[in-house]
């Protein structure tokens, strides 16, 4: 059985699913509920839904849409976007989601992470950290859809969020997101080495070898995938898909065998 979680991260824009590239332009993917039904048939282990407009629009989650998603989904779900009140977090869990993903509001009120963890447990809290390089190549932590620069570096912020009660870190390279160029292994490795909680690598997955590299070279515990599971291939049309379980098991088991021999 594959121990590494491969998590489709699906982006909500209003009532639809979209896919962005480097957090900018986006393409329409389809209806969220229909997409969930396809992933049910593909026997995906877990799904993450991230609303990319809620924070910028200063609104809370679309609970009606989330309820529709949860009613169709057979696997564990996580949700992020516009969460800044415990009452809203409770509604998300009551609908049927197992985890919440917090990004921008954690910088405004870091204690919000502790409040959620205290009530629902650390396993229910995922903190999302987005990292982007500026024109000089300097690495910056960003929030609000990549539009606002934050002071901490990725490692220190991940450590702080772990201390506050985060159970997982969703680490995204903005520069790689939607590009099919592979993960930022250096970034993933540095953050993974500084925390004891699982790190989910995101941004750049283009195929199974990239997933293996994120775990073996980057030290990630899991990987989040976007473009490679909603498009046929780079530059082609929409096709919701997922690697065969046997393909994933073979790739990851081969890596484990090599590591054991070293």
């Amino acid at each position: 059985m594959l121990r590494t979680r491969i998590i489709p991260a699906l982006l909500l824009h209003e009532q639809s699913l979209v896919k962005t590239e480097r957090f900018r332009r986006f393409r329409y993917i389809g209806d969220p509920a229909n997409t969930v039904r396809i992933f049910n048939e593909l026997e995906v282990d877990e799904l993450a839904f991230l609303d990319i407009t809620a924070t910028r629009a200063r609104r809370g989650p679309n609970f009606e849409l989330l309820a529709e998603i949860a009613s169709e989904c057979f696997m564990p779900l996580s949700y992020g976007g516009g969460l800044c009140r415990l009452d809203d977090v409770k509604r998300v869990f009551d609908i049927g989601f197992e985890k919440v993903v917090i990004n921008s509001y954690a910088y405004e009120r870091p204690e919000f992470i502790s409040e959620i963890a205290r009530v629902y447990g650390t396993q229910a809290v995922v903190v999302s950290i987005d990292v982007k390089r500026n024109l000089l190549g300097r690495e910056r932590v960003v929030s609000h859809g990549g539009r606002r620069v934050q002071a901490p570096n990725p490692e220190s912020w991940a450590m702080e969020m772990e201390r506050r009660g985060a159970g997982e870190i969703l680490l995204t390279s903005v520069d790689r997101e939607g590009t099919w160029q592979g993960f930022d292994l250096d970034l993933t490795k540095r953050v993974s080495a500084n925390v004891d909680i699982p790190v989910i690598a995101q941004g750049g997955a283009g195929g199974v070898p990239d997933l293996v590299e994120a775990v073996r070279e980057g030290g990630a515990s899991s990987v989040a995938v976007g473009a490679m599971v909603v498009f046929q291939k780079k530059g082609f049309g929409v096709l919701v898909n997922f690697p065969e379980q046997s393909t994933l098991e073979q790739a990851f088991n081969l890596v484990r065998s090599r590591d054991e021999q070293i």
Side-chain angles (χ1 to χ4, degrees):
M1 179 178 293
L2 184 68
R3 288 172 290 180
T4 302
R5 289 175 298 148
I6 313 299
I7 307 166
L10 306 174
L11 307 181
L12 294 168
H13 183 280
E14 304 299 340
Q15 301 283 331
S16 302
L17 288 181
V18 299
K19 185 67 193 84
T20 55
E21 182 176 341
R22 297 188 175 97
F23 280 28
R24 295 196 294 269
R25 57 177 183 169
F26 63 83
R27 291 178 60 183
Y28 173 77
I29 300 302
D31 175 75
N34 287 337
T35 304
V36 166
R37 294 186 193 106
I38 297 172
F39 279 124
N40 283 337
E41 295 178 1
L42 295 171
E43 298 182 346
V44 174
D45 290 331
E46 186 175 339
L47 286 178
F49 283 88
L50 306 173
D51 189 323
I52 62 174
T53 59
T55 296
R56 278 183 282 160
R58 297 183 179 181
R59 63 166 175 81
N62 183 335
F63 294 109
E64 183 177 348
L65 179 60
L66 297 186
E68 183 182 2
I69 290 170
S71 69
E72 296 287 348
C73 193
F74 297 157
M75 72 283 291
L77 288 166
S78 57
Y79 169 78
L83 291 169
C84 55
R85 300 169 59 243
L86 273 178
D87 286 346
D88 286 347
V89 170
K90 180 180 185 302
R91 286 188 67 181
V92 171
F93 288 138
D94 288 345
I95 284 171
F97 284 70
E98 282 77 8
K99 301 175 186 178
V100 290
V101 183
I102 311 296
N103 186 317
S104 300
Y105 194 59
Y107 300 98
E108 298 180 35
R109 285 191 65 241
E111 58 269 25
F112 187 54
I113 305 303
S114 304
E115 293 167 2
I116 300 172
R118 192 176 303 119
V119 176
Y120 299 102
T122 59
Q123 81 290 337
V125 192
V126 181
V127 169
S128 173
I129 301 176
D130 300 331
V131 182
K132 182 179 181 180
R133 294 188 182 276
N134 63 16
L135 294 176
L136 298 176
R138 294 174 180 170
E139 196 174 73
R140 294 287 187 267
V141 172
V142 295
S143 64
H144 298 77
R147 290 165 172 77
R148 189 175 300 180
V149 176
Q150 299 294 341
N153 62 49
E155 300 96 320
S156 64
W157 188 241
M159 293 167 66
E160 173 67 8
M161 291 296 95
E162 179 181 24
R163 188 182 71 80
R164 293 279 184 174
E168 292 181 284
I169 299 294
L170 175 61
L171 179 66
T172 305
S173 167
V174 177
D175 303 296
R176 299 292 184 100
E177 190 264 340
T179 67
W180 303 72
Q181 294 176 355
F183 294 93
D184 185 332
L185 299 178
D186 177 66
L187 170 65
T188 305
K189 188 173 185 177
R190 282 187 283 112
V191 173
S192 298
N194 279 279
V195 295
D196 294 322
I197 57 177
V199 171
I200 307 167
Q202 178 173 244
V208 172
D210 292 329
L211 312 183
V212 174
E213 272 200 330
V215 175
R216 187 186 187 196
E217 305 297 333
S221 299
S222 305
V223 290
V225 291
M228 68 171 280
V229 296
V230 296
F231 296 123
Q232 297 178 51
K233 58 176 70 174
K234 185 176 182 180
F236 281 66
V238 173
L239 176 65
V240 178
N241 68 97
F242 195 75
E244 292 283 346
Q245 189 71 13
S246 59
T247 301
L248 292 171
E249 290 178 357
Q250 182 178 10
F252 280 93
N253 287 336
L254 181 60
V255 168
R256 293 190 192 101
S257 298
R258 288 175 178 170
D259 290 342
E260 289 169 359
Q261 293 172 9
I262 296 175

